[in-house]
Amino acid sequence: MDTQNTLTLKQRPERCPICGGEVWTIVYGEPTYEAYEKRFENKVVFGGCCITDHDPAWQCIECDALIYKG
């Protein structure tokens, strides 16, 4: 895993607290073709198919900061 910034927040921030960039929701599981086509429109990042008990909920698309819901 890269050494990247991580935060824990109670709710999704409007902007990234680190750099001010856009924060997108991370979606887990195997995406459908339609979901893949709409990922930019819906502002989602795909988190992969392997789901654990401690996965981030959001990601900044500017600085790649991972934000956990806590």
Side-chain angles (χ1 to χ4, degrees):
M1 179 183 224
D2 292 343
T3 56
Q4 54 189 340
N5 296 319
T6 61
L7 303 164
T8 301
L9 301 173
K10 293 199 180 288
Q11 62 186 20
R12 181 185 175 275
E14 290 292 320
R15 307 296 287 179
C16 176
I18 296 171
C19 75
E22 282 190 68
V23 174
W24 289 13
T25 300
I26 301 174
V27 177
Y28 295 94
E30 188 170 348
T32 63
Y33 180 76
E34 291 80 16
Y36 185 77
E37 286 185 321
K38 293 184 176 188
R39 72 188 183 281
F40 297 115
E41 178 183 324
N42 295 337
K43 297 188 177 185
V44 297
V45 176
F46 296 129
C49 296
C50 297
I51 302 169
T52 69
D53 290 337
H54 188 65
D55 293 318
W58 309 287
Q59 182 175 356
C60 174
I61 62 164
E62 301 295 325
C63 72
D64 291 327
L66 296 175
I67 305 169
Y68 292 83
K69 186 174 184 177

